[in-house]
């Protein structure tokens, strides 16, 4: 392990302000890249690089599947690395490996294919981008897992863990604002010299915007590299006693605590596992697909100038973040299920407004606020329901990863992974994380395959296509989430086939 005071024990000193800030900036690079990936990847590949809708969807699907596979594998290997990398620390070592992978791969995803020209077949270009996407997703997962798993290594009590999580999320907010603000500035500067009759051309996305996205990706990795360096210079990984990992022959009742330890096969026999899993998957589909297709909807259905692909996501993000401050008192007043239902009503109101209005005008800001508030509400509440499902079987790991409702870190950055596979709660989070990533990738691929314009970027039918895509990914999936919620109202979340007195 690395140098520094022990992370456990009554005599451990609290972290200094510099150490806390150094830790908090360790995920800044990932946050910058995630905002750009989900908001602009499809738009860049389809509208700027002019690749087919299916080709663009295939690359996003590849990234989601790679992320879903890398997350549990890296988490497992990161815990196995405990005791190695004695001078640097195993988690910081994984963080460094992930950071290098992200820095070396991400700029190539948002840059033109090297060696390609106008006669290069599209499949060649897709093969070119594929390895960079896989390397990026591996690096992203390694950095995220290493950074989350450092929290219990650095601090001892729940208050300090929540404080580190809150600081971490504060920089997530800064990262998203930075990406959208930089995108608006680059698009504004790119179009400002072109006035008169050419101004309409530069208000629309096209091949002329390749430098904008290339420069934005370089800005992202450059700024992220600086903050990652500050993280490694200011964070010292502590020591922690290893906990023996249960296997198939381990007793389900821990002798010291008399607390049941469920294995993965026991979770598969619990109906509540599938109820909450369906609810969480529906939630992630709404949140991620609306973020992914919002830029397309603004560009092709509403025919708005390209600066709106930066301003509207920023409005959505800020409104969701601000509303998350109210979720804890609301949850206490009306409960988890009703809080989720209120969020669904806001989402369905957005879907109905979009379905009935062909043009929005300045009301586009109002619907952006509705979508941001609704997405934040259902995402935070679904994570809290997952915590309710696991209950005592998480053995303190929820507080380690900052997924408690009171931290507000869940609104946009809470990926339900659990960085230690030592307890069965990790299986629940890992399974749901894998399910939501693959489901989102498959959904994007299905939508892209239905694109009506086979020979051009956007034909007349494309205008209505993205209009109804936004309705479907919010209203349609919202109905599925409502059905999942109804199942929880009829059969509340609890473990029916298992109780503390049960024997293996």
């Amino acid at each position: 392990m690395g140098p520094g005071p022990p992370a456990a024990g009554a005599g451990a000193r609290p972290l200094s302000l510099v150490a806390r800030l150094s830790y908090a900036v360790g995920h800044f690079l990932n946050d910058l890249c995630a905002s750009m990936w989900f908001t602009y990847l499809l738009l860049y590949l389809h509208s700027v690089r002019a690749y087919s809708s299916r080709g663009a969807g295939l690359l996003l699907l590849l990234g989601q599947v790679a992320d879903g596979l890398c997350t549990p594998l890296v988490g497992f290997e990161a815990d196995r690395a405990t005791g190695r990398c004695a001078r640097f620390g195993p988690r910081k070592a994984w963080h460094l490996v992930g950071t290098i992978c992200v820095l070396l791969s991400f700029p190539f995803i948002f840059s033109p294919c090297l060696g390609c020209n106008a006669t290069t077949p599209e499949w060649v270009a897709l093969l070119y981008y594929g390895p960079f996407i896989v390397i990026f997703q591996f690096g992203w997962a390694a950095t995220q897992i290493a950074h989350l798993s450092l929290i219990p290594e650095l601090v001892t009590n729940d208050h300090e863990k929540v404080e580190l999580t809150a600081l971490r999320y504060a920089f997530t907010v800064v990262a998203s604002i930075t990406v959208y603000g930089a995108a608006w500035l680059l698009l504004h500067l790119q179009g400002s010299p072109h006035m008169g009759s050419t101004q309409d051309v530069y208000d629309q996305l096209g091949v002329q915007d390749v430098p904008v996205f290339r420069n934005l990706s370089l800005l992202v990795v450059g700024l992220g590299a600086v903050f990652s360096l500050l993280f490694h210079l200011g964070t010292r990984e502590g020591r922690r006693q290893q906990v023996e990992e249960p296997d198939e022959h381990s007793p389900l009742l821990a002798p010291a605590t008399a607390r049941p330890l469920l294995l993965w096969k026991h979770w598969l026999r619990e109906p509540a596992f599938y109820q909450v899993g369906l609810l969480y998957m529906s939630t992630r589909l709404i949140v991620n697909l609306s973020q992914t297709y919002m830029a397309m909807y603004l560009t092709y259905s509403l025919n708005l100038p390209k600066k709106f692909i930066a301003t509207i996501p920023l409005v959505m993000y800020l409104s969701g973040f601000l509303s998350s401050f109210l979720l804890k008192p609301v949850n206490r007043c009306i409960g988890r299920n009703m809080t989720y239902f209120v969020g669904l009503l806001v989402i369905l109101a957005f879907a109905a407004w979009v379905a009935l209005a062909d043009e929005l005008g300045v009301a586009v800001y109002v619907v952006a606020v509705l979508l941001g508030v609704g997405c934040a509400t259902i995402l935070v509440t679904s994570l809290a329901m997952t915590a309710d499902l696991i209950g005592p079987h998480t053995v303190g790991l929820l507080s380690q990863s900052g997924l408690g409702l009171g931290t507000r870190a869940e609104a946009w950055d809470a990926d339900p992974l659990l960085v230690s596979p030592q307890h069965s709660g990790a299986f629940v989070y890992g399974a749901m994380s894998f399910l939501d990533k693959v489901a989102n990738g498959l959904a994007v691929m299905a939508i892209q395959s239905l694109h009506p314009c086979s020979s051009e970027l956007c034909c007349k039918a494309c205008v209505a296509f993205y209009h109804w895509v936004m309705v479907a990914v919010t209203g349609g999936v919202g109905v599925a989430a409502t059905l999942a919620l109804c199942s929880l109202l009829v059969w509340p979340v609890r473990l029916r086939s298992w109780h503390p007195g049960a024997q293996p």
Side-chain angles (χ1 to χ4, degrees), residues 181-396:
W184 177 86
L185 182 61
L186 289 172
L187 290 169
H188 178 74
L189 293 177
Q190 187 258 2
S192 59
H194 305 277
M195 304 302 293
S197 60
T198 61
Q199 185 64 35
D200 289 341
V201 175
Y202 280 88
D203 273 343
Q204 303 302 318
L205 286 168
V207 69
Q208 74 276 1
D209 295 301
V210 168
V212 171
F213 288 91
R214 181 197 61 212
N215 294 340
L216 182 59
S217 66
L218 292 175
L219 176 64
V220 161
V221 296
L223 192 59
V226 172
F227 281 90
S228 295
L229 178 61
L230 294 176
F231 162 77
H232 282 281
L233 292 177
T235 302
R236 305 174 67 192
E237 186 171 342
R239 297 178 181 272
R240 183 186 66 172
Q241 292 183 346
Q242 286 186 267
V243 181
E244 184 178 356
E245 182 175 336
D247 55 24
E248 294 291 331
H249 304 289
S250 301
L252 293 178
L253 285 177
T257 62
R259 178 178 295 176
L261 297 178
L262 301 184
L263 299 176
W264 63 269
K265 61 183 181 181
H266 301 113
W267 284 110
L268 295 180
R269 295 199 289 262
E270 292 292 340
F273 174 79
Y274 300 98
Q275 290 176 276
V276 176
L278 178 60
L279 186 76
Y280 181 79
M281 184 186 69
S282 301
T283 301
R284 277 292 187 178
L285 284 172
I286 294 172
V287 173
N288 292 344
L289 292 180
S290 62
Q291 182 181 4
T292 298
Y293 282 100
M294 175 56 75
M296 297 290 212
Y297 171 65
L298 296 171
T299 302
Y300 296 118
S301 295
L302 298 183
N303 197 31
L304 294 174
K306 58 190 178 185
K307 66 179 181 180
F308 281 88
I309 67 172
T311 56
I312 295 302
L314 180 59
V315 170
M316 290 170 53
Y317 182 85
L318 290 177
S319 60
F321 170 67
L322 295 175
S323 68
S324 67
F325 284 85
L326 301 175
L327 291 181
K328 187 174 183 179
V330 170
N331 187 272
R332 287 176 175 173
C333 292
I334 64 176
R336 298 249 198 274
N337 292 338
M338 287 305 299
T339 301
Y340 189 92
F341 183 67
V342 169
L344 273 181
L345 288 180
V346 177
I347 293 286
L348 294 175
F350 166 86
W353 195 335
V354 171
L356 297 175
D358 294 329
E359 296 182 3
L360 293 175
V362 294
V364 68
Y365 292 102
V366 180
V367 297
V369 170
L370 286 178
L371 185 58
V373 171
C375 286
T377 302
I378 63 174
L379 181 54
V380 170
T381 311
S382 66
L383 284 164
M385 290 176 177
T386 308
D388 291 340
L389 170 67
I390 296 175
H393 309 287
T394 184
V395 197

Side-chain angles (χ1 to χ4, degrees), residues 103-124:
L103 292 176
L104 294 179
S105 60
F106 191 73
F108 289 96
I109 299 174
F110 286 91
S111 298
C113 170
L114 296 177
C116 298
N117 52 45
T119 61
T120 303
E122 181 178 297
W123 64 268
V124 174

Side-chain angles (χ1 to χ4, degrees), residues 83-96:
R84 307 173 190 172
C85 308
R87 289 180 60 85
F88 195 67
R91 286 158 182 80
K92 284 184 64 178
W94 272 100
H95 188 284
L96 181 61

